[in-house]
C-alpha cells in the first residue's frame, strides 16, 4: 500500500528565512511524488513533481524539492520565504502503473505561516 | 489550455434535502475525474474516481453517489443530506494513462453547509 506522511501540522518561519516542509513516503517500488499548495477557499495548485532523474526538482513560485530515496523523503524547500507563501501544503505519491489511472495518495497537509 | 469548473461555489442546504454538484473539464479528452471532500481545511478524502463514461469507483461508503454522463462531466449527488456531509468538495482531473506521471488538477471547490 502507498502512504505519505507529513509529520508537521504547522510550520512557522520568518519572512526571508529558508523554509522546509517535510514529507516521507512508503511505497513498494519507485514513486512518483508531487507537491501542491492550497490557499484559503481555493482548490489545490500543482507546484512540482519528481518522476525520475535529477533528485532536485524545481517548481513554481521559487519552490524546489529534493528526492532522497534512502530516506524515502521528498521535502519541499524555498531559500527565502515570503508572507504570501503562507498556505496549506500537500505532498502526494503514486506508484507507476501501466495504466496510470489510480488516484494520488495525499498526506494530511502542513500549514505554513510566514511571519513578517 | 485545460480548465475545470465547479459550481456552485457555496451551497447551504437543510438536512434531508437532495444534492447535486457539477464539475466539467474543458480542453482535454478522456480525462480521469475525481471527487474529494476536505473537512476543516485539512486532509483530503477521496470519494469517487472515474476513468471513463459510466465507470465509477467508490472509495468510501456513504450516502453520496457519483455519475459521469459525459466524457468531461462529473456529478456528485445525494438523495438525503446528513449533517456530516458538510465540507469543502473538490473535483479534479488528470490525463489518462502515461504511466501515472501526470499531476491531478483541481477546481476551486464547493463549500457545502448543512443546516
Amino acid at each position: 500500500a502507498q502512504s505519505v506522511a507529513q509529520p508537521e501540522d504547522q510550520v512557522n518561519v520568518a519572512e526571508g528565512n529558508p523554509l522546509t516542509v517535510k514529507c516521507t513516503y512508503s511505497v513498494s517500488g519507485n514513486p512518483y511524488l508531487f507537491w501542491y499548495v492550497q490557499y484559503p477557499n481555493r482548490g489545490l495548485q500543482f507546484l512540482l513533481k519528481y518522476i525520475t532523474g535529477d533528485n532536485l526538482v524545481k517548481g513554481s513560485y521559487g519552490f524546489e524539492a529534493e528526492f532522497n530515496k534512502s530516506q524515502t523523503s521528498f521535502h519541499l524547500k524555498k531559500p527565502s520565504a515570503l508572507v504570501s507563501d503562507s498556505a496549506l501544503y500537500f505532498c502526494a505519491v503514486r506508484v507507476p502503473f501501466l495504466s496510470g489511472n489510480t488516484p494520488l495518495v495525499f498526506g494530511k497537509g502542513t500549514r505554513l505561516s510566514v511571519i513578517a | 489550455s485545460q480548465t475545470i469548473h465547479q459550481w456552485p461555489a457555496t451551497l447551504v442546504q437543510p438536512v434531508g434535502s437532495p444534492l447535486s454538484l457539477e464539475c466539467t473539464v474543458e480542453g482535454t479528452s478522456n480525462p480521469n475525474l475525481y471527487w474529494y471532500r476536505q473537512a476543516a481545511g485539512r486532509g483530503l478524502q477521496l470519494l469517487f474516481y472515474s476513468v471513463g463514461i459510466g465507470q465509477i469507483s467508490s472509495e468510501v461508503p456513504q450516502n453520496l453517489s457519483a455519475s459521469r454522463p459525459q466524457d468531461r462531466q462529473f456529478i456528485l449527488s445525494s438523495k438525503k443530506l446528513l449533517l456530516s456531509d458538510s465540507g469543502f468538495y473538490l473535483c479534479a482531473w488528470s490525463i489518462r494513462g502515461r504511466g501515472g506521471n501526470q499531476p491531478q488538477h483541481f477546481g476551486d471547490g464547493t463549500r457545502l453547509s448543512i443546516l
Side-chain angles (χ1 to χ4, degrees):
Chain A
Q2 310 168 60
S3 66
V4 171
Q6 294 182 242
E8 300 156 317
D9 286 344
Q10 175 90 35
V11 171
N12 298 318
V13 63
E15 187 177 29
N17 283 2
L19 70 87
T20 299
V21 182
K22 295 179 180 177
C23 171
T24 60
Y25 64 89
S26 176
V27 301
S28 53
N30 295 318
Y32 294 151
L33 294 156
F34 303 80
W35 272 104
Y36 287 81
V37 61
Q38 185 182 31
Y39 297 101
N41 297 310
R42 301 297 301 274
L44 278 68
Q45 294 179 34
F46 168 67
L47 280 176
L48 52 81
K49 66 180 180 181
Y50 171 81
I51 303 302
T52 188
D54 193 347
N55 289 342
L56 186 63
V57 178
K58 293 187 184 296
S60 306
Y61 311 121
F63 284 95
E64 58 189 26
E66 186 168 10
F67 172 65
N68 188 318
K69 188 172 184 177
S70 62
Q71 297 184 7
T72 63
S73 67
F74 189 56
H75 301 332
L76 182 70
K77 300 181 181 182
K78 187 173 182 180
S80 178
L82 300 172
V83 172
S84 57
D85 293 329
S86 299
L88 188 57
Y89 290 81
F90 290 95
C91 183
V93 67
R94 182 192 284 133
V95 174
F97 288 102
L98 288 177
S99 70
N101 291 324
T102 56
L104 292 173
V105 175
F106 285 88
K108 293 190 294 184
T110 297
R111 189 166 300 282
L112 173 69
S113 292
V114 181
I115 304 160
Chain B
S1 64
Q2 303 93 350
T3 57
I4 179 169
H5 302 280
Q6 280 188 250
W7 66 92
T10 60
L11 188 61
V12 180
Q13 292 284 95
V15 170
S17 63
L19 173 73
S20 180
L21 301 181
E22 190 162 342
C23 171
T24 59
V25 180
E26 297 177 356
T28 188
S29 298
N30 304 315
N32 297 325
L33 296 171
Y34 312 86
W35 277 112
Y36 290 87
R37 178 168 58 204
Q38 185 179 29
R42 295 306 310 200
L44 300 173
Q45 179 185 33
L46 178 65
L47 301 176
F48 302 94
Y49 72 96
S50 170
V51 299
I53 295 174
Q55 301 179 62
I56 310 292
S57 296
S58 175
E59 293 296 301
V60 291
Q62 62 225 323
N63 70 323
L64 299 171
S65 62
S67 61
R68 186 171 178 172
Q70 301 180 45
D71 180 49
R72 291 171 289 170
Q73 184 183 32
F74 206 23
I75 297 173
L76 184 68
S77 303
S78 174
K79 293 182 179 178
K80 296 180 74 171
L81 286 167
L82 307 172
L83 283 173
S84 58
D85 291 324
S86 293
F88 191 47
Y89 288 81
L90 291 162
C91 182
W93 72 273
S94 66
I95 294 174
R96 188 178 303 174
R98 299 194 185 181
N101 65 3
Q102 297 298 311
Q104 292 173 193
H105 302 279
F106 286 79
D108 275 339
T110 294
R111 186 161 302 283
L112 175 64
S113 299
I114 310 299
L115 303 179

